[in-house]
Amino acid sequence: MKRIALLLWLSLGLPLAGANDAHREYDAMETYEPHVRGDQSLSGSYKHWAHPGKLDWRLAGNPEENWKLNWKFMDPPFNASVHGGHFALDRGEELFRELNAKARFARCLGAGKDGLKGLRARYPQYRADLKRIAGLEEVIEYCAAREGRVLQNGSYDNSAVSLYVASKSNGMPMRVDVGKGVMRDAFERGRKLFHTRAGKLHLACSSCHTHKVGLQLRGSVITTPYGDAVHYPVYRTRYFLQSLHLRFAECNLDTRTQPLVPGSRAYTDLEVFMTALSNGYPVTVPSERD
Amino acid sequence: MRSISILAGLAVALVFPAWAQGLPRDAAVNAAAPNKTLEPRVVTNSGRLEWLPHAHNLTPWPTLSHEDRRPAPKPRKVRLAGPLDGDAARGRDIAVRPDKGYCIACHQIPGEEWPGTVGLDLRGFKQRQYADAAVYQQIFDARVNHAQTVMPPYGTNNILSEQEIRDLVAFLQSLE
């Protein structure tokens, strides 16, 4: 068995280590302000959704134009219907209480004297105990394991707890500091990944989300990468509860690109990048998307 | 039953890991399965994420993993040899099918609703009077004409066969 594996490895001639001099292609490497207002110079749609309290309903009612609201009209309080996200939130609260029975779980997540308040707005962050940058879902998996529970990153229960934790920051602006150190490096790696062509269709995230914003791909209109992270995990009518990393996997699969597992370093770097592009925008859960 | 087979699949994946085939370790694959590529399925009220076999094997192309050291295929200039010999009806089918060209994701062609607007409108294509060879090259690998194009390199990346590209050329050249 081992020999077969080794032979295959050799015959494919694809070493994992060593200089990365393989030919890869990139979209024009744009710059992004780590704040939602950066969208002013990208899609220009920001002015329509900058103030969650003042969305223009005429745009929402017009299928040609509603993308300019960045689908924010599907967030609470505009979307007042009860959907799967609310059930997930209840489930998350219940799981959180069980996990936190000894008051260790919340502390492990990083809760201070304000409890869970504001916690969501500070993730992803560098975790000294993990010796790396981690998103909230990765830390939930880690802290749950310390309580003897399996809550795999991307699973319904993991995202439900994430949703509950996020709900305690509802209305608080995202603020992930990518100005220096390892967070800045992660932001830069994420930005590069965002422009990296991959997969069978040879597309980068930016091929759509930066260079074709507002245009139509079959039935869907492509939107800006600004302001997305604040409504995750999101309730998808097709997928139930979806974490941000699973959304990356979906866009990868849609463009015939081999997806990575949630919590992978590359997805975490993309998460740092996309979350920084939501800085200044309020956490808004539970949200729903088609 | 299904969960048993998935567990078995995972066990095999551990015995026969992704990196043994030059794939990054963080790729969602079962290296022992025919299609290798897995897709996630979220199971309500469960702490485990299920992985199901994906319909297509996507492992031959580079991923976004930091570990992935595999090259992306370079732009390829091609020559259209011999007569075109394409079938316009088959070409139309290839243009609309999601598992084939799915050109309508980005382009408008006559008679299709919900067209894409990322690419140019292809209605009345014949009037543009391009040579067959130029259209063949655009579909085979558009990067030769425009390095930053978002149009996939259908020939270079083996998305479509040479005959299928000929069929598409015949179809586009038939659009009055």
Side-chain angles (χ1 to χ4, degrees):
Chain A
M1 191 64 179
K2 217 146 123 196
R3 207 148 99 209
I4 296 174
L6 188 65
L7 276 175
L8 257 170
W9 192 0
L10 291 176
S11 66
L12 284 169
L14 306 165
L16 284 167
N20 190 6
D21 47 12
H23 172 80
R24 289 295 290 263
E25 292 181 10
Y26 304 90
D27 273 7
M29 205 71 77
E30 312 292 346
T31 53
Y32 300 78
E33 194 181 343
H35 190 279
V36 265
R37 65 173 171 254
D39 184 57
Q40 276 161 351
S41 55
L42 176 58
S43 85
S45 69
Y46 178 59
K47 58 176 179 286
H48 300 295
W49 50 270
H51 304 290
K54 293 190 230 158
L55 295 189
D56 184 343
W57 276 103
R58 283 166 306 181
L59 290 182
N62 179 345
E64 307 265 288
E65 298 210 285
N66 60 11
W67 72 269
K68 292 179 188 164
L69 295 174
N70 209 9
W71 310 115
K72 300 294 182 197
F73 55 92
M74 298 188 79
D75 294 343
F78 308 100
N79 182 355
S81 62
V82 174
H83 55 72
H86 294 93
F87 301 123
L89 187 56
D90 292 345
R91 168 90 177 162
E93 178 166 11
E94 195 183 304
L95 288 167
F96 179 85
R97 287 196 199 297
E98 287 169 27
L99 287 160
N100 203 40
K102 303 198 177 85
R104 287 186 310 221
F105 183 69
R107 217 177 318 129
C108 178
L109 296 182
K113 55 180 184 327
D114 283 345
L116 298 179
K117 203 156 174 260
L119 202 60
R120 175 68 191 93
R122 296 194 297 270
Y123 271 99
Q125 62 180 230
Y126 181 78
R127 293 275 309 209
D129 46 359
L130 291 167
K131 296 192 180 60
R132 60 177 181 241
I133 292 166
L136 181 55
E137 288 85 19
E138 182 180 346
V139 173
I140 288 172
E141 178 175 24
Y142 165 72
C143 295
R146 290 176 46 168
E147 301 300 323
R149 292 272 301 248
V150 177
L151 287 194
Q152 288 176 341
N153 195 344
S155 69
Y156 182 94
D157 282 354
N158 182 307
S159 293
V161 172
S162 175
L163 199 55
Y164 174 70
V165 172
S167 72
K168 298 295 172 193
S169 303
N170 253 339
M172 298 174 74
M174 195 62 90
R175 50 186 185 92
V176 175
D177 183 1
V178 292
K180 56 183 186 307
V182 289
M183 286 296 285
R184 186 198 155 99
D185 297 343
F187 178 84
E188 284 304 325
R189 283 193 305 270
R191 180 168 77 104
K192 186 173 177 194
L193 285 170
F194 200 75
H195 293 81
T196 304
R197 297 292 186 111
K200 193 171 182 177
L201 300 188
H202 196 61
L203 291 167
C205 316
S206 59
S207 307
C208 291
H209 291 291
T210 301
H211 296 124
K212 302 291 174 191
V213 178
L215 296 177
Q216 247 158 289
L217 264 179
R218 198 71 165 134
S220 357
V221 183
I222 303 163
T223 64
T224 167
Y226 287 92
D228 281 345
V230 290
H231 63 259
Y232 279 82
V234 71
Y235 175 70
R236 296 292 301 281
T237 41
R238 280 182 300 146
Y239 286 82
F240 306 108
L241 200 56
Q242 185 176 50
S243 71
L244 190 59
H245 288 208
L246 288 190
R247 175 73 228 201
F248 298 162
E250 183 185 345
C251 270
N252 269 167
L253 284 164
D254 282 349
T255 54
R256 302 197 212 168
T257 303
Q258 168 63 49
L260 307 179
V261 294
S264 56
R265 291 302 86 202
Y267 278 2
T268 303
D269 290 340
L270 275 173
E271 180 183 359
V272 170
F273 173 73
M274 288 204 74
T275 310
L277 266 50
S278 282
N279 274 343
Y281 204 80
V283 174
T284 324
V285 294
S287 289
E288 184 184 26
R289 290 292 184 276
D290 288 339
Chain B
M1 189 58 198
R2 187 146 84 188
S3 68
I4 291 175
S5 65
I6 286 161
L7 279 179
L10 283 178
V12 176
L14 290 176
V15 178
F16 200 78
W19 52 262
Q21 301 195 2
L23 298 172
R25 280 167 299 186
D26 50 5
V29 295
N30 173 359
N35 273 347
K36 296 190 179 65
T37 301
L38 298 174
E39 62 179 46
R41 195 174 80 106
V42 176
V43 185
T44 305
N45 296 342
S46 167
R48 292 183 193 272
L49 184 62
E50 238 188 88
W51 292 94
L52 305 177
H54 186 61
H56 306 282
N57 177 12
L58 301 173
T59 57
W61 293 274
T63 67
L64 289 181
S65 170
H66 292 312
E67 286 184 4
D68 208 328
R69 298 286 189 258
R70 299 172 300 163
K74 288 188 175 150
R76 234 180 98 192
K77 214 176 168 125
V78 284
R79 272 200 16 244
L80 176 62
L84 178 62
D85 197 19
D87 179 320
R90 271 198 321 243
R92 183 186 180 96
D93 186 50
I94 294 162
V96 300
R97 269 174 55 182
D99 62 329
K100 286 291 180 182
Y102 207 31
C103 318
I104 52 170
C106 292
H107 291 286
Q108 177 144 22
I109 63 170
E112 281 298 318
E113 278 182 81
W114 300 107
T117 56
V118 166
L120 306 169
D121 189 341
L122 296 177
R123 288 176 302 178
F125 189 76
K126 189 180 174 187
Q127 291 158 28
R128 289 177 214 169
Q129 300 188 331
Y130 290 114
D132 287 350
V135 185
Y136 186 83
Q137 175 69 63
Q138 173 72 22
I139 304 172
F140 195 97
D141 198 329
R143 291 176 294 174
V144 169
N145 301 325
H146 173 201
Q148 289 282 337
T149 187
V150 298
M151 181 158 151
Y154 286 94
T156 305
N157 275 16
N158 289 320
I159 304 165
L160 298 173
S161 69
E162 277 183 34
Q163 183 58 49
E164 287 172 320
I165 298 176
R166 287 170 184 268
D167 293 342
L168 279 167
V169 175
F171 168 60
L172 294 180
Q173 300 287 39
S174 76
L175 298 177
E176 304 276 352

